[in-house]
Amino acid sequence: SPHTTPTTYALQGNPVLVNSPQHTGLDAGRLRPSGNDADLPPDQRDEDAKSACFEFEVPSEVRVLGRPKVTLRLRMDVPFGQAIARLCDIAPDGSSTLVTRGVLNLSARHGVDRADAWPLGATEDVTFELTGIGHAFAPGHRIRLAVSSAYWPWIWPQADTAGFTLHPAGSSLELPVRAGGLDPAITFEAPEQSAPLGVVHPATLDEERPERLVVRDVAKGEWRLEVDPRRGGKRVYPDGLEFTEDAVETYTIHEADPLSAHARSDWTIRLHRPELGWDTRIETHSEITCDAADFLTRDEVICREGDEVVFHHTWERRVRRTAR
């Protein structure tokens, strides 16, 4: 847009070690929000506490439209790592609202088609974009850039836990700032939508599980995120078809061990026509773990017609961690 100007904010302060706990990212929200109550990221203050944060005053409204960009001067003593940058809007009461974020696998700093190990002890500048956004920072608020070295479960952790040293001198945040007000010539008609299908959602006596539940095992130092994606539950279509879908996703990690990362998905779909006397069900169970060299995937599929199992298959596969 001709109304957007790149505006640079230089980071200030002394070099800081960024070595985030492995459970940093539990408040990231859903990768693909679909309108559920717990889909969007909650207050980011807990995530900010696990990150290196830099703030900028907002004396007058700052409208951001486009893809922010960060340049970070980093020193790293391990060959592989990752940098996560979050842009947050800090209200006068201290609450932190996530605006946008971006991630760089540091071995892909010279291109996503190659994996270049970081020279041990070297200092380099890396630049990457954040997801495009339209947001207005109100006067009296603050712009916060939060940088972390982990973001589970959105980003699978690297095998090393040393993090990196961030040098504010030479590092910056660039925002695409839009000047001017709204264009009165741009208008939108009312949205169009088709008539509903008449699907019925039967009430059940079962208590719904939480959409997003975070459990901390203090003794083990382990964190578990349980997600119910709320894909529809049970519904009855006008032609009598009963469709039931139930799923839970579980992400577990030890706060100090990146190789403890474990992701599991359990899914069941049932198709039932009582008037025709048929009842089918498909269950899937999938999980991913890792070691320093490979990902290990385990999968199981069970198909039933009534109470009879008509298909059952399990398999395992190792996938090399080539782009570490």
Side-chain angles (χ1 to χ4, degrees):
S1 168
H3 305 290
T4 302
T5 303
T7 303
T8 300
Y9 297 79
L11 306 191
Q12 304 291 331
N14 296 319
V16 56
L17 175 64
V18 181
N19 189 11
S20 306
Q22 294 302 311
H23 62 284
T24 305
L26 290 181
D27 284 342
R30 291 285 292 171
L31 184 64
R32 293 183 177 179
S34 58
N36 297 322
D37 292 339
D39 279 0
L40 297 181
D43 192 313
Q44 296 289 287
R45 277 179 283 195
D46 189 59
E47 300 280 61
D48 295 347
K50 305 182 187 78
S51 310
C53 295
F54 304 88
E55 295 188 358
F56 311 95
E57 300 295 330
V58 183
S60 58
E61 185 181 61
V62 176
R63 293 183 177 180
V64 176
L65 181 63
R67 298 177 66 92
K69 182 188 301 183
V70 293
T71 296
L72 305 177
R73 181 163 293 174
L74 306 179
R75 180 186 184 277
M76 197 159 63
D77 296 318
V78 291
F80 302 103
Q82 54 202 10
I84 298 90
R86 291 179 297 111
L87 185 64
C88 297
D89 186 334
I90 311 303
D93 65 359
S95 59
S96 177
T97 300
L98 181 64
V99 175
T100 184
R101 57 200 146 192
V103 175
L104 177 65
N105 183 344
L106 294 176
S107 63
R109 63 195 183 280
H110 300 310
V112 296
D113 58 339
R114 51 192 291 187
D116 295 321
W118 194 280
L120 302 187
T123 299
E124 294 186 22
D125 292 347
V126 297
T127 299
F128 58 97
E129 291 184 325
L130 283 57
T131 302
I133 193 68
H135 181 81
F137 292 89
H141 286 222
R142 300 189 307 280
I143 298 169
R144 175 178 289 169
L145 175 65
V147 180
S148 63
S149 60
Y151 207 56
W152 172 259
W154 275 41
I155 306 300
W156 201 276
Q158 301 284 355
D160 297 307
T161 60
F164 50 78
T165 298
L166 170 59
H167 294 266
S171 301
S172 63
L173 165 68
E174 181 184 292
L175 298 181
V177 176
R178 187 183 190 279
L182 300 178
D183 187 343
I186 299 177
T187 60
F188 296 93
E189 300 296 331
E192 297 181 5
Q193 61 185 29
S194 61
L197 291 176
V199 177
V200 177
H201 296 265
T204 65
L205 298 178
D206 297 331
E207 183 178 352
E208 287 189 338
R209 68 169 67 94
E211 289 183 29
R212 293 179 69 86
L213 178 66
V214 177
V215 179
R216 178 187 183 188
D217 188 324
V218 176
K220 291 183 178 180
E222 185 179 83
W223 294 76
R224 185 174 76 254
L225 172 64
E226 298 178 0
V227 178
D228 184 337
R230 292 286 200 271
R231 291 304 177 101
K234 183 175 182 179
R235 49 193 185 268
V236 181
Y237 289 88
D239 63 356
L241 174 66
E242 296 181 3
F243 178 93
T244 306
E245 188 170 11
D246 181 68
V248 62
E249 301 165 357
T250 307
Y251 307 92
T252 307
I253 198 165
H254 189 283
E255 59 192 24
D257 182 8
L259 297 181
S260 67
H262 179 272
R264 180 180 175 91
S265 174
D266 298 285
W267 214 286
T268 301
I269 292 180
R270 181 190 184 198
L271 298 174
H272 183 210
R273 285 191 180 274
E275 75 284 2
L276 297 180
W278 63 262
D279 187 359
T280 62
R281 180 183 288 109
I282 300 174
E283 300 176 21
T284 64
H285 308 282
S286 303
E287 59 182 330
I288 303 176
T289 57
C290 71
D291 55 30
D294 301 302
F295 292 106
L296 176 62
T297 66
R298 300 181 181 90
D299 296 277
E300 180 181 25
V301 176
I302 307 171
C303 302
R304 290 185 172 89
E305 183 177 3
D307 294 328
E308 179 185 358
V309 176
V310 296
F311 180 82
H312 185 194
H313 184 61
T314 61
W315 64 95
E316 293 187 358
R317 180 174 298 172
R318 280 190 173 271
V319 181
R320 191 71 177 172
R321 299 182 67 163
T322 55
R324 288 183 272 178

